[in-house]
Amino acid sequence: NRFTILDGVICGGETDNVYIVYRYTTDMSTFAARRSIINSDRTNWCTNPDQKVVLESVSYVAKMYYGASGKFLGKFTFSIDDCVPT
């Protein structure tokens, strides 16, 4: 959306503990709204075949949110373990 900017994505870790971190800048009202749809994000990762294969290959995915001033607002983390078996 126009109130959330993707600042960057990193992939890090070691062979058996790889993770992906997305860093966003947003405003507090957008972050509060984002909290309400995090389950939708997880569902998308779990059901989209292209994303699910990535989720199966990493330990976790994290989405970190910062305000325009750089203040940390919060973080959501999920893994393949959060997916409902199909």
Side-chain angles (χ1 to χ4, degrees):
N1 66 43
R2 67 184 185 157
F3 301 108
T4 303
I5 300 167
L6 175 62
D7 297 315
V9 181
I10 62 166
C11 183
E14 310 245 344
T15 304
D16 58 347
N17 188 27
V18 176
Y19 55 85
I20 301 171
V21 178
Y22 292 83
R23 180 189 165 117
Y24 297 95
T25 299
T26 190
D27 63 33
M28 190 53 118
S29 63
T30 301
F31 176 71
R34 190 86 191 128
R35 291 179 63 101
S36 69
I37 61 170
I38 190 62
N39 287 335
S40 176
D41 282 350
R42 288 183 183 135
T43 299
N44 290 340
W45 274 86
C46 292
T47 59
N48 178 316
D50 294 333
Q51 288 179 291
K52 188 173 183 180
V53 71
V54 173
L55 194 56
E56 291 171 335
S57 302
V58 298
S59 296
Y60 64 90
V61 172
K63 295 190 173 192
M64 301 178 76
Y65 293 86
Y66 293 83
S69 67
K71 180 181 177 185
F72 178 72
L73 300 176
K75 173 179 157 181
F76 301 112
T77 304
F78 54 93
S79 71
I80 193 67
D81 295 336
D82 296 309
C83 295
V84 175
T86 56

